[in-house]
Amino acid sequence: HARTGSGKTLAYLLPLIERIDSSRQATQACIVVPTRELGLQVAKVLRRLTTGTVMSLLDGSSLKRQRTWAWAEPPHVVVGNPSPLRRMADEAGLKSLDACSYVVIDEVDSFLDDDQRRESLHRLLNDHLPRKRSTVFATASVDAPQRLPGDLLRRRWATRPVSYLSSERGMPTIQHTLVLCPKPEARLAVLRQFLKGVKAATVVFFDAKRLSLLPKIASALKQDDLRVDVLNEADDLESRSSAFEAFVSGETDVLLTTDLAARGLDAPRTSLVVNFDVPRTATDYLHRAGRTARLGRNGAVLTICEENERFVVERFGNKLGVGIEEVEAGSEAYARLAGE
């Protein structure tokens, strides 16, 4: 249990790499992640660190092609979302899972909160993976950490008592601010005014209900000479991957997205997060904010809200143990936040 951006991925990958015997043709480790975007990030890091073969089994993958590969040459490590992983295992597409002695469940809280993910993960852990294994559960957010180990054991996701390890939580290198929006239809104007002065890589989060509007909002921002792209879950996988890589590499500076990217975007250059819409929960706020200030860097979060939403944002701050400062549009503090 450690805050976002603190290095949990390396914390579980390095022991995994130490255990892999690349001369042995068998799947020796499995990493389960909740989203395709997070899976792409984890697999990318893993391939840079190991000489073993890594297979990605992510939502939208061609399971027929992956099955042929797995039968011809079993991958040493599999990184996947729970549904395609379970389907491959059900159809005997992964024939050597009995050799899988190291299993990671990343962002475990997201599996507990989603019925479909929870069921797929449960079947994978109990029906296909060996009981004699080391299992790592990683999370940045959990409501009742003292109850989590017992809960995992009761669900039979763990085969013996779970050790709970926690590093410092909170977000000590992030400045949290909010700006009041006078009326709902003025949100875009507030965003445009703010982004005109921004000189930093910025991720802007929207509620999923605005998904169809993101291309129009991107067009409006491009009129302000901003390099903007959209990471839209409604787009095809190639378009999503292209938008993702363009922002990570620096080809674009402003990325518009929904909570699709709240758990999967690792772009160290990101120094600013803007909540165009107030997050639904404190956990959602935590993960959105965690896209900035990666590995101890400095960053900032600006939440655009109406007067009747202010108490919600302040409540999130109280729950997460962070102070959220109100800044007025056009003020000196507002300009500093934008990097002017």
Side-chain angles (χ1 to χ4, degrees):
H1 188 190
R3 64 176 178 261
T4 57
S6 59
K8 289 187 296 300
T9 303
L10 282 180
Y12 66 67
L13 282 184
L14 295 179
L16 180 155
I17 293 165
E18 292 249 325
R19 288 172 177 239
I20 296 299
D21 179 359
S22 57
S23 67
R24 183 183 178 198
Q25 282 205 335
T27 301
Q28 300 163 49
C30 178
I31 303 171
V32 189
V33 295
T35 66
R36 177 181 176 83
E37 278 64 30
L38 181 55
L40 290 171
Q41 290 280 333
V42 171
K44 181 179 180 180
V45 173
L46 185 54
R47 289 188 177 104
R48 289 167 57 188
L49 297 175
T50 182
T51 57
T53 55
V54 180
M55 175 182 285
S56 298
L57 286 171
L58 304 171
D59 293 331
S61 299
S62 170
L63 296 189
K64 183 177 180 180
R65 179 175 61 84
Q66 302 290 66
R67 190 183 302 111
T68 302
W69 169 21
W71 271 88
E73 182 185 1
H76 296 111
V77 187
V78 176
V79 180
N81 301 134
S83 291
L85 272 171
R86 179 186 55 78
R87 290 200 305 275
M88 277 282 281
D90 284 346
E91 298 166 8
L94 294 168
K95 61 180 180 178
S96 58
L97 280 181
D98 56 339
C100 189
S101 63
Y102 190 94
V103 176
V104 178
I105 314 302
D106 201 0
E107 304 284 6
V108 64
D109 61 299
S110 68
F111 294 99
L112 295 170
D113 296 338
D114 184 285
D115 291 342
Q116 183 176 352
R117 286 178 183 164
R118 184 171 60 244
E119 177 59 25
S120 292
L121 177 61
H122 183 82
R123 289 182 55 188
L124 180 70
L125 291 176
N126 287 286
D127 297 346
H128 298 291
L129 292 170
R131 291 187 61 79
K132 189 176 181 181
R133 64 177 188 256
S134 296
T135 310
V136 176
F137 301 96
T139 182
S141 55
V142 57
D143 287 335
Q146 67 280 7
R147 295 204 302 265
L148 182 61
D151 189 21
L152 296 173
L153 198 57
R154 281 191 299 274
R155 292 177 183 276
R156 294 185 291 121
W157 291 6
T159 55
R160 54 184 181 270
V162 178
S163 299
Y164 175 73
L165 304 175
S166 179
S167 72
E168 178 190 3
R169 294 185 297 280
M171 293 172 274
T173 60
I174 300 179
Q175 178 186 3
H176 300 267
T177 59
L178 68 84
V179 61
L180 289 179
C181 176
K183 50 188 178 180
E185 56 269 26
R187 282 182 188 267
L188 181 55
V190 172
L191 178 68
R192 291 185 71 173
Q193 178 192 23
F194 180 73
L195 290 182
K196 279 183 179 179
V198 164
K199 299 178 181 178
T202 304
V203 181
V204 186
F205 284 100
F206 295 80
D207 192 283
K209 67 185 179 184
R210 299 190 196 272
L211 206 54
S212 61
L213 298 177
L214 294 192
K216 294 181 180 179
I217 294 174
S219 296
L221 295 176
K222 286 176 182 177
Q223 293 176 15
D224 300 327
D225 295 324
L226 292 167
R227 298 192 302 168
V228 184
D229 210 340
V230 176
L231 182 59
N232 190 333
E233 57 197 270
D235 287 344
D236 61 75
L237 298 177
E238 185 177 349
S239 297
R240 282 164 55 177
S241 180
S242 176
F244 187 81
E245 290 299 328
F247 181 74
V248 171
S249 67
E251 291 179 33
T252 55
D253 294 319
V254 179
L255 184 67
L256 312 183
T257 186
T258 63
D259 284 315
L260 169 74
R263 291 179 183 257
L265 181 70
D266 182 23
R269 61 188 290 266
T270 307
S271 58
L272 182 63
V273 166
V274 178
N275 291 317
F276 186 87
D277 294 299
V278 175
R280 293 175 300 116
T281 67
T283 296
D284 291 339
Y285 183 98
L286 171 72
H287 285 283
R288 288 183 180 187
R291 297 316 96 204
T292 186
R294 308 291 288 175
L295 292 176
R297 297 176 177 85
N298 292 323
V301 178
L302 175 71
T303 301
I304 302 171
C305 65
E306 298 167 48
E307 180 62 49
N308 63 352
E309 296 174 312
R310 185 209 300 255
F311 79 97
V312 176
V313 179
E314 292 174 344
R315 191 176 67 210
F316 292 164
N318 291 335
K319 183 171 183 178
L320 297 172
V322 299
I324 299 179
E325 174 192 1
E326 181 180 342
V327 293
E328 293 185 10
S331 67
E332 185 178 341
Y334 186 81
R336 284 201 305 271
L337 186 66
E340 291 181 344

